[in-house]
Amino acid sequence: MSDSKPAGQFFDAAIGLLRRVQDEEAGTIEAAGLLLADTVASGGRLFAFGAGHSSLAAQDVVYRAGGLALMNLLAVPGAVGVDVMPATLGSALERVDGLASAVLDCSPARAGDTLVIISLSGRNALPVEMALHARDLGLKVIGVTSVAYATETTSRHHSGTYLRDHCDIVLDSKIATGDAELTLDTIPAPFAPASTVVTSAILQAVMATAAASLADRGIEPPLLRSGNVDGGHEWNGQVFEKYGERIFYRH
């Protein structure tokens, strides 16, 4: 039975999306986790990038208790969240040609590393160029996006392509164009976005797969513990010391 209250309707919608992703994206989630494990096992580094609210899911897998210590945030100044004024500047930067290439060229990312790019629409110049240039540099690219946008919107990259067109693995979040799950006759616009919930869940599923895959190979996954439990800081210190050359958020 569906819930008649907006809060319950949102939970129903989010749970429905999560179940759909679980059913339809199991294979690609497994492939993405194995790619991360391959990268770690071969001495590579991991990076995550997202612009605007897509950066929330990227940040959620960086320096995270229970997460892989080797996941580094690839930040584009002014495009991470709403920490710039005015906030609309971040949206404008997503459409600037050349910005992604400049950031990648100045980053520690190199051939043999893997970059996770999160972009709900996948239509703006920044994520498309990020994927294109990353692959030119020899990185593997995992894209997390809503494939629906590629058929229902127009690309803002000069190539006319989308993020999904330049990835080794594409994870489809199943989010509908517009990213709003609820409507009411008394409210003129759709509301209650679920993309952050779903995208974060996808990425945590990928991280879990990667950790288990490393363990299956006899490699202890470089996991962080919470600093709010006894011994957590000591544990993390040992991980940082062992993998320091592949962790960049401490430098």
Side-chain angles (χ1 to χ4, degrees):
M1 181 181 295
S2 61
D3 198 316
S4 61
K5 295 183 178 180
Q9 291 174 349
F10 176 77
F11 280 119
D12 288 342
I15 291 168
L17 284 163
L18 289 170
R19 285 178 175 155
R20 186 180 170 197
V21 166
Q22 183 181 24
D23 292 341
E24 298 177 15
E25 296 297 306
T28 50
I29 287 172
E30 179 78 9
L34 293 179
L35 176 54
L36 293 189
D38 290 343
T39 305
V40 172
S42 62
R45 292 83 55 83
L46 309 176
F47 296 88
F49 163 76
H53 286 92
S54 290
S55 72
L56 295 174
Q59 293 176 59
D60 191 49
V61 294
V62 176
Y63 187 48
R64 191 72 164 85
L68 293 173
L70 305 192
M71 184 61 75
N72 300 277
L73 185 67
L74 185 64
V76 174
V80 179
V82 290
D83 60 340
V84 294
M85 293 290 289
T88 50
L89 173 59
S91 298
L93 290 173
E94 291 186 57
R95 306 176 191 181
V96 175
D97 289 332
L99 181 57
S101 294
V103 168
L104 268 173
D105 288 341
C106 293
S107 79
R110 66 189 184 194
D113 295 343
T114 295
L115 172 61
V116 179
I117 301 176
I118 304 126
S119 174
L120 177 61
S121 73
R123 69 186 297 221
N124 287 309
L126 193 55
V128 174
E129 183 185 329
M130 186 74 75
L132 274 166
H133 194 52
R135 295 180 90 185
D136 286 343
L137 294 175
L139 281 79
K140 295 292 186 180
V141 175
I142 298 171
V144 187
T145 188
S146 170
V147 172
Y149 276 82
T151 59
E152 298 173 6
T153 67
T154 303
S155 171
R156 289 178 175 147
H157 188 257
H158 60 79
S159 67
T161 60
Y162 298 78
L163 170 61
R164 72 165 191 173
D165 298 317
H166 307 288
C167 300
D168 296 281
I169 298 171
V170 176
L171 299 169
D172 183 5
S173 65
K174 315 296 182 182
I175 300 295
T177 303
D179 191 18
E181 294 299 319
L182 302 184
T183 59
L184 280 176
D185 292 341
T186 53
I187 300 178
F191 59 101
S195 60
T196 303
V197 173
V198 176
T199 302
S200 292
I202 289 172
L203 287 178
Q204 291 300 345
V206 170
M207 297 301 141
T209 301
S213 177
L214 286 168
D216 288 343
R217 307 175 197 199
I219 301 172
E220 181 179 331
L223 297 170
L224 296 174
R225 290 182 180 240
S226 171
N228 295 313
V229 299
D230 292 343
H233 287 302
E234 291 76 15
W235 171 280
N236 293 341
Q238 294 175 5
V239 174
F240 292 148
E241 182 176 356
K242 182 176 181 179
Y243 293 97
E245 294 183 355
R246 298 156 75 181
I247 297 172
F248 302 100
Y249 49 81
R250 300 185 70 242
H251 298 173

